[in-house]
Coordinates of all heavy atoms in Angstrom, one line a residue:
N3 N 4.0 1.5 -1.0 CA 4.6 1.6 -2.4 C 3.8 2.1 -3.5 O 4.2 2.7 -4.4 CB 5.1 0.3 -2.7 CG 6.5 -0.1 -2.0 OD1 7.1 0.8 -1.4 ND2 6.7 -1.4 -1.9
S11 N -0.8 -3.7 11.8 CA -1.6 -3.8 13.0 C -0.8 -4.5 14.1 O -0.4 -5.7 14.0 CB -2.8 -4.7 12.6 OG -3.6 -4.8 13.9
H16 N 2.7 -10.3 19.8 CA 2.6 -10.6 21.1 C 3.6 -9.8 22.0 O 3.5 -9.9 23.2 CB 2.6 -12.1 21.4 CG 1.6 -12.8 20.8 ND1 1.5 -13.4 19.5 CD2 0.3 -13.1 21.2 CE1 0.4 -13.9 19.2 NE2 -0.4 -13.9 20.3
E20 N 8.5 -8.6 18.7 CA 7.9 -9.0 17.5 C 7.4 -7.8 16.6 O 7.6 -7.8 15.3 CB 6.7 -9.9 17.8 CG 7.0 -11.3 18.2 CD 5.7 -12.1 18.4 OE1 4.6 -11.7 18.0 OE2 5.8 -13.1 19.1
E23 N 10.5 -6.3 14.9 CA 10.8 -7.1 13.8 C 9.9 -6.8 12.6 O 10.3 -6.7 11.4 CB 10.8 -8.5 14.0 CG 11.8 -9.1 14.9 CD 11.6 -10.6 15.4 OE1 11.0 -11.3 14.5 OE2 12.2 -10.9 16.4
T28 N 9.0 -4.1 7.4 CA 8.4 -3.1 6.6 C 9.3 -2.2 5.9 O 9.2 -1.8 4.7 CB 7.2 -2.3 7.4 OG1 6.3 -3.4 7.9 CG2 6.5 -1.4 6.6
F36 N 4.9 4.8 6.3 CA 3.9 3.8 6.7 C 3.4 4.0 8.1 O 3.9 5.0 8.7 CB 4.6 2.4 6.7 CG 5.7 2.2 7.6 CD1 5.5 1.7 8.8 CD2 7.0 2.6 7.2 CE1 6.6 1.5 9.7 CE2 8.2 2.4 8.0 CZ 7.9 1.9 9.4
P44 N -7.6 -3.4 26.2 CA -6.9 -4.3 26.9 C -7.1 -5.8 26.5 O -6.2 -6.6 26.5 CB -7.3 -4.1 28.4 CG -7.7 -2.7 28.4 CD -8.4 -2.4 27.0
G49 N -2.0 -9.1 28.0 CA -1.1 -8.5 29.0 C -1.1 -7.0 28.9 O -0.2 -6.4 29.5
H57 N 6.5 2.3 22.8 CA 7.9 2.4 22.9 C 8.6 1.8 21.6 O 9.6 2.3 21.1 CB 8.5 1.8 24.1 CG 8.1 2.5 25.3 ND1 8.4 3.9 25.5 CD2 7.5 2.2 26.5 CE1 7.9 4.3 26.6 NE2 7.3 3.3 27.3
A58 N 8.1 0.7 21.1 CA 8.7 0.2 19.9 C 8.6 1.1 18.7 O 9.5 1.3 17.9 CB 7.9 -1.2 19.5
D73 N -9.0 7.0 25.2 CA -8.5 8.3 25.3 C -7.0 8.2 24.9 O -6.3 7.5 25.8 CB -8.7 8.9 26.6 CG -8.5 10.5 26.5 OD1 -7.7 10.9 25.7 OD2 -9.1 11.2 27.4
P79 N 2.0 12.7 24.0 CA 3.2 13.4 24.2 C 4.5 12.5 23.9 O 5.5 13.0 23.4 CB 3.2 13.8 25.7 CG 1.7 13.8 26.0 CD 1.1 12.8 25.2
G105 N -4.4 16.4 21.5 CA -3.3 16.8 20.7 C -2.9 16.0 19.5 O -1.8 16.2 19.0
P120 N -17.0 -0.9 14.7 CA -18.0 0.2 14.2 C -18.5 1.1 15.4 O -19.2 1.9 15.2 CB -19.2 -0.6 13.6 CG -19.1 -2.0 14.3 CD -17.6 -2.2 14.6
D136 N -17.3 18.8 10.7 CA -17.8 20.1 11.2 C -17.5 20.3 12.7 O -17.4 21.5 13.1 CB -19.3 20.1 11.1 CG -19.8 20.2 9.6 OD1 -19.0 20.5 8.7 OD2 -21.0 19.9 9.4
V142 N -9.5 15.0 8.7 CA -10.3 13.8 9.0 C -10.1 12.8 7.9 O -10.2 13.1 6.8 CB -11.9 14.2 9.1 CG1 -12.7 13.0 9.3 CG2 -12.1 15.2 10.3
R158 N -14.6 11.7 0.3 CA -14.0 13.0 0.1 C -15.0 14.1 -0.1 O -14.8 15.3 0.4 CB -13.1 12.9 -1.2 CG -11.8 12.0 -1.1 CD -10.8 12.5 0.0 NE -10.4 13.8 -0.1 CZ -9.4 14.3 -0.8 NH1 -8.7 13.5 -1.5 NH2 -9.1 15.6 -0.9
A165 N -9.2 8.6 2.9 CA -10.0 7.5 3.1 C -9.2 6.3 3.8 O -8.0 6.1 3.5 CB -10.6 6.9 1.8
T169 N -11.4 -3.9 5.2 CA -11.9 -5.2 4.8 C -11.5 -5.4 3.3 O -11.4 -6.6 3.0 CB -13.4 -5.2 5.0 OG1 -13.7 -4.9 6.3 CG2 -14.0 -6.5 4.6
E176 N -1.9 -10.6 -1.2 CA -1.0 -10.7 0.0 C -1.5 -11.0 1.3 O -0.8 -11.4 2.1 CB -0.5 -9.2 0.1 CG 0.4 -8.6 -1.0 CD -0.4 -8.1 -2.2 OE1 -1.7 -8.1 -2.1 OE2 0.2 -7.6 -3.2
M187 N -16.1 -13.7 -0.2 CA -16.2 -12.2 0.0 C -16.5 -11.5 -1.4 O -17.2 -10.7 -1.5 CB -14.9 -11.7 0.6 CG -14.6 -12.0 2.0 SD -13.2 -11.1 2.5 CE -13.5 -9.4 2.5
Q189 N -18.1 -12.8 -3.8 CA -19.5 -13.1 -4.3 C -20.5 -12.4 -3.5 O -21.7 -12.5 -3.8 CB -19.6 -14.5 -4.2 CG -18.7 -15.3 -5.1 CD -18.7 -14.9 -6.5 OE1 -19.8 -14.6 -7.1 NE2 -17.5 -14.9 -7.1
S194 N -25.0 -8.9 2.4 CA -24.2 -9.9 3.0 C -23.4 -9.4 4.2 O -22.7 -10.1 4.9 CB -23.1 -10.4 2.0 OG -23.8 -11.1 1.0

Side-chain angles (χ1 to χ4, degrees):
N3 286 338
S11 176
H16 295 91
E20 285 184 14
E23 289 176 20
T28 300
F36 63 94
H57 291 310
D73 190 340
D136 291 346
V142 174
R158 294 297 308 271
T169 305
E176 295 84 358
M187 287 182 67
Q189 300 306 319
S194 300

